[in-house]
Amino acid sequence: MISDEIRLTVLGSATPYPRTDNPCSGYLVSGAGRRVWVDAGTGTLAALQHHVALDELDAIWISHLHADHCADLLTAYYAALHADIRLAAPIPLFGPPGLADRLAHFLTHTATRSPIESAFAVEDLRDGHRVRIGALTLTSAAVRHGMPAYALRVDAAGRSLVYSGDTAPCSALTGLAEGCDLLLCEAESHEAPGAGERVHHTPEDAGDTARSARAGRLVVTHVGPFLTPRRAVDRAAARFDGPVDHAAPGACFTV
Ligand SMILES: [Zn+2]
């Protein structure tokens, strides 16, 4: 019997570069027999294969086009078209507008554009974008990261998971996360900058977002190089009464 529960498996959570024991941002979200690779940061294609082969994915969802969230799409393309994998159909790929051209520009090395559409069925995200992957409903909201960037809500059988992507605190994220069971929220910044546009959460911000959204639990991720996971969890927990964990590589959360 296929379980209705949503499972979040952390493939990696390091930023801005992968560490020996932690790839960059990437997650496997599964439920009701469907599997979605959420963010394809450096090193996550390798980690993904502990759980699922590339040709067994139902979709890929990309929050934004910073390399630590999407660089492994490049090697996934080679895997899909030039290796031992035989796709029955291009993998549905949801990402910010321009993703298809960005991939093609990097991958094309002759006069002929690389056929990325043979590997990926690319669909641009927009604010409010919604798609059903089997019993999973994926809803995207535009967030504040100084470039096109999206947060993701996954609903299935009355349970819900929200992933911030990269963003400053914003009402779009809080609204998307309203009443969710688990909020996976970035906590990149060790201190809020005094001036200029903010593009990330601090751990305190993550706690505040979880509290404002009335999330059931908080998992902090994308913890920056000037923070430790322990410190990030403690700082977030000072602002949020629910359970707080770190998105350690290999960790699995049942929603
Ligand atoms: Zn980013």
Side-chain angles (χ1 to χ4, degrees), residues 15 63-69 145 147 149 165-167 186 199-200 222:
T15 182
S63 63
H64 66 296
L65 298 184
H66 279 151
D68 57 338
H69 293 257
H145 194 46
M147 65 188 300
D166 278 7
T167 180
E186 68 122 306
V199 294
H200 286 292
H222 202 267

Side-chain angles (χ1 to χ4, degrees), residues 115-181:
I116 65 138
E117 287 78 9
S118 298
F120 305 117
V122 182
E123 183 172 320
D124 287 349
L125 293 175
R126 52 180 165 68
D127 189 36
H129 180 276
R130 184 165 293 172
V131 64
R132 284 184 67 90
I133 308 290
L136 304 178
T137 300
L138 277 55
T139 306
S140 301
V143 290
R144 283 178 45 201
H145 194 46
M147 65 188 300
Y150 295 87
L152 172 68
R153 180 176 179 122
V154 181
D155 288 281
R159 308 295 291 171
S160 53
L161 158 73
V162 170
Y163 167 48
S164 64
D166 278 7
T167 180
C170 60
S171 58
L173 175 60
T174 307
L176 186 73
E178 177 65 33
C180 71
D181 295 296

Side-chain angles (χ1 to χ4, degrees), residues 26-27 30 75 78 82 99 119 124 143 180 182 184 189-190 226:
Y27 311 91
S30 58
T75 42
Y78 288 121
H82 300 294
L99 173 57
D124 287 349
V143 290
C180 71
L182 186 152
L184 174 66
S189 299
H190 66 292
F226 303 107

Side-chain angles (χ1 to χ4, degrees), residues 25-60:
S25 288
Y27 311 91
L28 176 64
V29 175
S30 58
R34 303 303 174 110
R35 290 169 284 201
V36 182
W37 182 14
V38 172
D39 273 352
T42 316
T44 56
L45 176 57
L48 180 77
Q49 293 169 82
H50 287 300
H51 310 280
V52 61
L54 200 59
D55 57 351
E56 295 172 328
L57 286 172
D58 295 286
I60 303 171

Side-chain angles (χ1 to χ4, degrees), residues 203-215:
E204 287 79 7
D205 292 331
D208 288 346
T209 295
R211 189 183 71 252
S212 297
R214 298 182 297 110

